[in-house]
């Protein structure tokens, strides 16, 4: 190569380098909405196949993608909607809003011939499941009412304590370790009628997402899972009504424009009425619920939106005129969305949440009420730096007020004195940063850090104990006992009784072998500062929340997960396989004989232990075609232990504590070794759709007597180690058929009939087993209690 050629080559390389690094980049951004209602769509994929890059819309339908200057074909896809393919010329920052049509709304479907980047495979986010409302409404449930919580139980890693039990358990965690959010507001009790229904009206719900692991840094405060639910915003184009009439409950939802294409409202209500039929009998009992969902929004311009949303629900259960139980949630959220630029989206929220529990006992002569309130101010921002880097950051502050209980006489002659259990107060602050970064074509990361700081604030009165030990060990009886206070202090509200600071790192990674196969791994640390005081298998309205403080440490979680993910046959099928291991420090345990109700000194009956859970999950889905469904299988172990504390010297003698359950690991009440769920949905034609699900679970741990002794002529059973036995295995089959009558041309009224049978083969699954002595024979016998046998139901749904 001669001297001139070398100079020419060098000049060419310099020119190319200058072009590459000086090439202008511009931002494509906008909002993606549903055509007929202007409802924003979250999780929509906007892909640029030529660059093998893309982005998904956030919870408010906003997207932002920065690309080099040029001409591109973009492809937009969302489950249940027509794909959009459009060519754009990017020579400056461009705002493009898109409207998507449902499959049934447009005859000419746009066919995407190129392979669209599979962002879900490449995305490092793992251990998360999403449900569409359409799927939720297909799943057969007891009494025919579509239910979000019951639908979650068909996912791998999610179980419940049994039929008619409130709450749910995720990857061997307790029900109080789940963070449940409705439009960002915390829901402390997610059940109606003690677990028969959930508080979420499916007609009002827009999106359901359950994080079981790899939880982003923007979430905190719980150590098991996050259930994030958003309500619909309301139709800003025209008035719409949706409802249903069922065997035990009915619902109606209305939505429409306040200012067309600019502002809308949504209001929906549900109520049960089965108790009305009891009045036709001699039964003087009743149990019913009602709730209300509401939302307003106003779009000032392309950069500013305001939302006001709320939920109010109540349950009432009474026995004649002697007993009445009322409980429920009330939440509200005022939000301001602001777009600082094409790359920076922000959301400011002011949130109020109140969980109330009330009890009235006429035969005793008093009323009881308790609850928990919190006020939350949070500010979240998302910066779309470029097509390979997105940054989420923000902060929030929650102030808590805990009311353990107040007793008030309800009649003059009751003899009951008014008493307020000591209220507790706390403040939880958090700041976070979360980064999503595409390192190479095959390797992506999501990493972040959350800083949380919790303060237990002053209260009216606080016990003081010798050696700061509210629980003492009796070495002669080998039992734990309540310590007697040696005094009390009276701190002011502004005093800090205890404070805890934690750094909570999060890391997820994805490596993609090809567009259809990837492996993912994650690690998270989370802190939980609130504890549910309950010694039942599932939460009840009477359970009381208590904050961490001088004698109760926060729970700390370390979770590791590894998974393999595959799309099969052009997304017709998908496979997800994950293994996980969880270690939890400072999990509350109770001394034998602990009394949790109306206890002003709860620290005297609890100890800090530890918990662990590990397992394997498989989810195989069929996503396309007339027949769709999934198979979910979980093998998991969930255990807990509280070993004896450090030996203590007492008058020169060392007392060695036995711990709870002799310090050995024992199965938690939600330890289900095998869990199989099978769901299928078949569209026979435009009129008929058939659905079925089958569930099998290992029986939940329990305690049976292992012997008995006689005391003053009375037979007294005694028990062995905790949760050493199990109830019989649980299984059932549910089926449903949906009939959609042919729609007349020009008629807006649409309807469907849903016929369902819960527990088709009438299996009497054991909710509990108790033991007693037969009065006639004197022999011991076991008595099984079951909640449901076969339950047929019919529901009529409509919209217009």
């Amino acid at each position: 190569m001669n001297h001139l050629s070398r100079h020419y080559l060098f000049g060419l390389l310099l020119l190319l380098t200058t072009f590459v690094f000086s090439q202008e980049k511009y931002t494509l951004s906008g909002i993606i909405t549903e055509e007929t209602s202007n409802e924003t769509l979250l999780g929509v994929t906007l892909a640029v196949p030529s660059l093998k890059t893309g982005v998904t819309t956030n919870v408010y339908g906003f997207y932002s993608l920065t690309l080099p200057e040029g001409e591109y074909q973009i492809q937009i896809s969302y489950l249940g909607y027509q794909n959009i393919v459009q060519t754009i010329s990017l020579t400056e920052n461009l705002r493009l809003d898109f409207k998507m049509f449902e499959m049934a709304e447009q005859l000419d479907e746009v066919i995407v011939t190129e392979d669209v980047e599979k962002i879900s495979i490449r995305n490092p986010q793992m251990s998360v499941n999403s449900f569409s409302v359409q799927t939720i409404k297909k799943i057969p449930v007891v009494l025919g009412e579509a239910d979000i919580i019951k639908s979650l139980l068909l996912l791998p890693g999610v179980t419940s304590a049994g039929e008619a039990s409130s709450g749910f358990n995720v990857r061997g965690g307790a029900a109080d370790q789940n963070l449940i959010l409705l439009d960002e507001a915390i829901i402390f009790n997610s059940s109606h009628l003690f677990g028969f229904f959930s508080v979420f009206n499916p007609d009002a719900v827009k999106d359901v997402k359950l994080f079981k692991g790899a939880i982003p840094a923007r979430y905190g405060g719980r150590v098991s899972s996050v259930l994030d639910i958003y309500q619909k915003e309301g139709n800003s184009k025209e008035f719409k009504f949706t409802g249903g009439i069922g065997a035990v409950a009915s619902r109606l939802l209305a939505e429409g424009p306040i200012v067309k294409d600019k502002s809308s409202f949504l209001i929906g209500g549900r109520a049960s009425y089965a108790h009305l039929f009891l009045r036709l009998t001699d039964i003087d009992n009743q149990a019913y619920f009602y709730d209300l969902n509401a939302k307003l929004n106003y779009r000032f311009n392309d950069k500013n939106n305001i939302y006001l949303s709320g939920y109010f629900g109540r349950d009432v259960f009474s026995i004649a005129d002697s007993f009445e139980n009322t409980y429920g949630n009330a939440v509200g959220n005022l939000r301001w969305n602001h777009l600082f630029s094409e790359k920076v989206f922000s959301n400011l929220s002011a949130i109020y949440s109140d969980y109330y529990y009330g009890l009235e006992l006429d035969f005793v002569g008093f009323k009881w009420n308790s609850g928990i309130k919190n006020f939350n101010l949070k500010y979240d921002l998302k910066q779309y730096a470029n097509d390979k880097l997105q940054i989420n950051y923000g902060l929030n502050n929650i102030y808590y007020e805990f009311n353990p209980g107040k007793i008030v006489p309800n009649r003059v002659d009751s003899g009951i004195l008014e008493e307020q259990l000591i209220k507790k107060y706390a403040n939880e602050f958090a700041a976070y940063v979360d980064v999503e970064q595409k390192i190479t074509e095959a390797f992506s990361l999501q990493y972040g850090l959350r800083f949380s700081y919790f303060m237990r604030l002053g209260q009216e009165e606080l016990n003081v104990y010798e050696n700061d030990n509210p629980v003492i060990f009796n070495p002669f009886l080998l039992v734990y006992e309540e310590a007697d206070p040696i005094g009390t202090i009276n701190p002011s509200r502004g005093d800090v009784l205890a404070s805890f600071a934690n750094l909570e790192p999060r890391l997820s990674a994805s490596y993609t072998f090809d567009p259809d196969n990837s492996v993912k791994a994650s690690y998270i640390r989370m802190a939980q500062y609130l504890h549910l005081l309950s010694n039942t298998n599932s939460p009840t309205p009477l359970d009381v929340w208590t904050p961490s403080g001088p004698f109760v440490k926060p729970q700390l979680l370390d979770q590791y997960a590894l998974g393999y993910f595959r799309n099969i046959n052009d997304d017709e099928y998908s496979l997800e396989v994950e293994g996980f291991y969880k270690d939890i420090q400072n999990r509350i345990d109770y001394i034998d004989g602990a009394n949790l109700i109306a206890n002003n000194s709860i620290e005297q009956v609890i100890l800090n232990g530890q918990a662990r859970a590990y397992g394997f999950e498989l989810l195989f889905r069929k996503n396309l075609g007339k027949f769709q469904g999934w198979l979910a299988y979980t093998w998991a172990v969930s255990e807990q232990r509280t070993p004896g504390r450090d030996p203590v010297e007492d008058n020169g003698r060392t007392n060695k504590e036995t711990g709870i359950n002799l310090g050995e690991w024992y199965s938690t009440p939600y330890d289900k070794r095998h869990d199989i769920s099978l769901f299928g949905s078949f569209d026979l034609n435009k009129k008929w759709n058939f659905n079925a699900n089958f569930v099998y679970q290992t029986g939940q741990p329990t305690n049976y007597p292992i012997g008995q002794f006689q005391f003053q002529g009375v037979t007294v059973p005694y028990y062995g180690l905790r949760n050493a036995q199990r109830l019989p295995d649980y299984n059932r089959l549910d089926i449903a058929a949906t009939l959609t009558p042919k729609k007349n041309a020009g008629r807006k009224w649409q309807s469907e009939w849903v016929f369902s049978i819960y527990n088709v083969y009438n299996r009497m699954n054991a909710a509990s087993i108790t033991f007693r002595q037969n009065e006639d024979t004197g022999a011991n016998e076991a008595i099984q209690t079951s909640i449901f046998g076969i339950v047929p139901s019919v529901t009529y749904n409509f919209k217009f």
Side-chain angles (χ1 to χ4, degrees):
M1 184 179 291
N2 60 32
H3 182 71
L4 184 61
S5 297
R6 285 198 300 270
H7 275 282
Y8 178 81
L9 181 60
F10 177 79
L12 182 60
L13 289 173
L14 181 64
L15 181 63
L16 288 173
T17 303
T18 303
F19 174 76
V20 169
F21 285 98
S22 63
Q23 188 178 14
E24 291 288 342
K25 290 191 173 184
Y26 298 106
T27 300
L28 173 67
S29 63
I31 302 288
I32 300 181
T33 58
E34 201 272 331
E35 167 63 28
T36 59
S37 66
N38 276 340
E39 184 83 31
T40 57
L41 299 174
L42 63 157
V44 177
T45 297
L46 185 145
V48 184
S50 62
L51 297 181
K52 294 186 177 180
T53 190
V55 70
T56 58
T57 56
N58 70 4
V59 294
Y60 299 99
F62 177 78
Y63 75 92
S64 177
L65 189 61
T66 300
L67 304 169
E69 181 180 0
E71 188 171 285
Y72 302 99
Q73 183 188 77
I74 59 173
Q75 300 178 354
I76 301 171
S77 59
Y78 190 57
L79 185 65
Y81 286 78
Q82 296 290 331
N83 294 322
I84 297 174
V85 178
Q86 184 169 324
T87 300
I88 63 166
S89 180
L90 199 60
T91 57
E92 60 181 351
N93 289 340
L94 182 61
R95 167 88 184 219
L96 271 181
D97 295 338
F98 294 95
K99 295 186 180 298
M100 300 194 74
F101 291 86
E102 287 190 72
M103 288 290 189
E105 297 295 326
Q106 185 171 311
L107 295 177
D108 299 324
E109 180 179 355
V110 176
I111 303 298
V112 178
T113 56
E114 288 192 59
D115 178 42
V116 175
E117 175 77 349
K118 295 176 175 63
I119 293 181
S120 60
I121 284 289
R122 297 180 181 270
N123 194 319
Q125 179 67 65
M126 63 183 299
S127 307
V128 60
N129 293 110
S130 297
F131 258 140
S132 70
V133 175
Q134 290 79 7
T135 300
I136 290 171
K137 290 183 176 181
K138 289 181 179 180
I139 295 174
V141 293
V142 67
L143 301 174
E145 291 297 311
D147 192 281
I148 289 175
I149 300 296
K150 302 300 184 189
S151 301
L152 294 178
L153 300 179
L154 297 179
L155 295 174
V158 186
T159 62
S160 75
E163 290 174 317
S165 63
S166 60
F168 56 97
N169 309 108
V170 176
R171 288 187 170 177
D176 68 304
Q177 294 174 332
N178 303 315
L179 177 64
I180 302 175
L181 302 172
L182 179 63
D183 277 351
E184 301 182 297
I186 300 173
I187 300 293
F188 285 96
N189 189 321
S190 61
S191 71
H192 279 312
L193 295 183
F194 304 101
F196 287 112
F197 303 93
S198 74
V199 299
F200 307 110
N201 182 347
D203 290 338
V205 168
K206 174 181 181 177
D207 183 68
V208 179
K209 196 174 268 79
L210 177 68
F211 296 87
K212 301 179 293 186
I215 298 172
R218 66 181 179 271
Y219 299 108
R222 300 294 187 275
V223 295
S224 191
S225 75
V226 176
L227 177 59
D228 199 3
I229 298 176
Y230 279 88
Q231 296 186 112
K232 292 164 58 177
E233 294 160 11
N235 192 318
S236 64
K237 282 183 170 289
E238 58 181 337
F239 291 97
K240 291 284 186 180
F241 296 87
T242 307
I245 302 171
V248 295
S250 289
R251 62 192 189 280
L252 180 65
L253 181 138
E255 55 184 321
I258 299 174
V259 178
K260 191 171 183 179
D261 294 328
K262 198 176 186 69
S263 176
S264 65
F265 76 92
L266 177 147
I267 184 167
R270 289 190 303 170
S272 65
Y273 40 71
H275 65 286
L276 298 177
F277 299 108
L278 296 178
R279 295 182 179 179
L280 304 177
T281 69
D282 295 332
I283 302 174
D284 197 13
N285 305 338
Q286 56 182 351
Y288 62 92
F289 74 85
Y290 56 91
D291 56 25
L292 177 72
N293 299 79
K295 196 166 188 177
L296 301 172
N297 75 83
Y298 188 85
R299 182 182 184 188
F300 289 93
N301 49 47
D302 287 345
K303 293 188 175 182
N304 294 280
N305 292 271
I306 282 184
Y307 302 86
L308 177 62
S309 61
Y311 167 83
F312 178 84
R314 282 291 184 266
D315 279 73
V316 178
F317 172 65
S318 65
I319 300 175
D321 295 325
S322 59
F323 171 93
E324 184 171 296
N325 176 205
T326 306
Y327 67 94
N329 300 275
V331 301
N333 185 4
L334 177 61
R335 282 172 288 170
W336 171 40
N337 288 173
H338 177 65
L339 194 62
F340 284 101
S341 69
E342 297 84 1
K343 293 186 176 185
V344 181
F345 181 93
S346 71
N347 181 72
L348 176 65
S349 299
I351 308 164
Y352 170 77
S353 176
D354 179 12
Y355 173 66
Y356 168 82
Y357 175 83
L359 184 65
E360 184 171 359
L361 299 175
D362 273 350
F363 65 93
V364 179
F366 75 85
K367 292 182 180 179
W368 164 280
N369 66 78
S370 64
I372 174 174
K373 299 178 182 178
N374 74 72
F375 306 87
N376 184 4
L377 186 65
K378 64 192 296 283
Y379 194 35
D380 302 289
L381 298 100
K382 183 162 188 173
Q383 183 171 349
Y384 300 83
N386 53 53
D387 65 318
K388 292 180 174 60
L389 182 66
Q390 299 176 23
I391 306 170
N392 298 272
Y393 48 94
L395 49 85
N396 73 289
N397 192 83
I398 309 177
Y399 175 79
Y400 295 99
E401 177 185 308
F402 302 84
N403 176 18
K406 182 179 182 179
I407 298 175
V408 179
N410 66 350
R411 62 174 188 262
V412 179
D413 61 344
S414 68
I416 302 293
L417 299 178
E418 182 173 325
E419 180 182 1
Q420 170 68 62
L421 298 182
I422 298 171
K423 290 186 176 182
K424 300 170 184 176
Y425 306 90
N427 193 83
E428 182 177 352
F429 169 81
Y432 75 90
V433 60
D434 202 12
V435 180
E436 301 170 42
Q437 186 172 9
K438 186 177 180 180
I439 306 298
T440 68
E441 188 66 34
F443 186 53
S444 299
L445 288 176
Q446 181 172 327
Y447 52 93
L449 182 66
R450 182 181 182 89
F451 170 73
S452 58
Y453 184 68
F454 187 86
M455 294 185 296
R456 173 73 176 271
L457 303 177
Q459 58 191 53
E460 242 180 53
E461 184 178 278
L462 182 69
N463 289 338
V464 178
Y465 301 92
E466 186 176 354
N467 300 322
D468 284 333
N469 189 4
V471 180
I472 59 176
F473 181 71
N474 187 322
F476 300 104
L477 299 178
L478 300 179
V479 296
Y480 288 93
E481 298 175 341
E482 301 175 15
D484 293 324
I486 59 175
T488 59
I489 58 174
N490 304 97
S492 66
R493 183 77 59 83
D495 292 338
V496 178
L497 303 179
S499 63
F500 307 92
N502 282 288
L503 289 175
E504 307 174 33
R506 318 286 171 87
L507 174 64
S508 302
S510 170
Y511 184 81
T512 307
F513 299 102
D514 55 51
D516 289 314
N517 294 271
S518 69
V519 292
K520 301 181 184 183
S522 67
Y523 164 75
I524 61 172
R525 165 163 274 228
M526 301 185 74
Q528 177 169 336
Y529 300 101
L530 307 188
H531 312 266
L532 183 66
L533 301 176
S534 173
N535 53 9
T536 60
N537 289 343
S538 67
T540 70
L542 191 56
D543 297 335
V544 175
W545 290 81
T546 192
S548 297
F551 309 110
V552 183
K553 299 177 182 179
Q555 300 177 65
L556 298 175
L557 162 80
D558 292 287
Q559 180 176 185
Y560 310 84
L562 178 66
Y564 169 70
F565 302 82
R566 182 175 183 181
N567 287 328
I568 305 169
N569 195 24
D570 291 331
D571 292 340
E572 182 177 0
Y573 302 93
S574 61
L575 175 68
E576 301 175 19
V577 181
E578 289 191 43
F580 66 90
Y581 181 86
K582 297 167 64 172
D583 179 71
I584 300 175
Q585 304 173 41
N586 305 323
R587 178 61 182 163
I588 279 183
D589 210 341
Y590 305 99
I591 68 174
D592 292 331
N595 176 29
L596 304 180
I597 299 176
N599 191 337
N600 236 340
S601 305
I602 201 68
E603 67 275 4
Q604 295 176 334
V605 296
I606 59 178
L607 293 170
N608 290 307
Q610 62 185 117
R612 67 183 181 189
Y614 51 91
F616 159 88
E617 298 173 358
L618 180 146
L619 179 62
F620 180 73
R621 288 179 179 265
K622 187 177 187 301
N623 305 307
L624 304 175
K626 284 194 169 188
F627 175 76
Q628 298 180 24
W630 66 80
L631 168 67
Y633 171 72
T634 307
W635 175 86
V637 175
S638 175
E639 297 176 317
Q640 183 171 340
R641 75 167 179 174
T642 305
R645 298 170 296 187
D646 293 336
V648 251
E649 293 288 336
D650 181 19
N651 295 326
R653 180 178 56 197
T654 299
N655 293 330
K656 187 176 181 181
E657 296 187 1
T658 59
I660 302 296
N661 201 59
L662 300 180
E664 298 295 325
W665 290 101
Y666 67 91
S667 296
T668 64
Y670 24 90
D671 175 67
K672 305 286 183 72
R673 296 297 165 93
H674 299 280
D675 182 6
I676 300 173
S677 299
L678 183 62
F679 169 73
S681 177
F682 178 68
D683 292 319
L684 179 64
N685 49 44
K686 291 183 178 181
K687 293 180 64 176
W688 284 100
N689 167 262
F690 298 94
N691 305 282
N693 56 257
F694 173 78
V695 177
Y696 169 86
Q697 292 178 356
T698 301
Q700 70 184 61
T702 188
N703 284 104
Y704 297 153
I706 61 172
Q708 64 186 37
F709 61 90
Q710 297 290 324
F711 180 75
Q712 296 183 352
V714 177
T715 301
V716 181
Y718 63 88
Y719 297 81
L721 298 180
R722 290 195 181 185
N723 291 344
Q725 293 83 30
R726 290 182 180 271
L727 294 176
D729 291 352
Y730 179 99
N731 64 84
R732 73 168 200 276
L733 171 68
D734 312 323
I735 60 174
T738 301
L739 170 63
T740 305
K742 184 178 179 180
K743 180 182 175 182
N744 294 330
R747 186 183 180 189
K748 290 187 175 181
W749 183 279
Q750 299 179 48
S751 63
E752 64 180 19
W753 290 91
V754 181
F755 309 92
S756 65
I757 303 178
Y758 179 89
N759 195 357
V760 172
Y761 47 81
N762 197 32
R763 177 177 169 84
M764 304 306 292
N765 288 294
S768 65
I769 293 181
T770 57
F771 295 84
R772 70 183 184 187
Q773 193 173 37
N774 188 288
E775 294 181 358
D776 298 325
T777 65
N780 294 327
E781 59 183 7
I783 305 297
Q784 174 178 305
T785 301
S786 300
I787 304 297
F788 290 116
I790 184 171
V791 182
S793 59
V794 179
T795 302
Y796 177 71
N797 297 318
F798 59 86
K799 58 182 178 179
F800 59 93

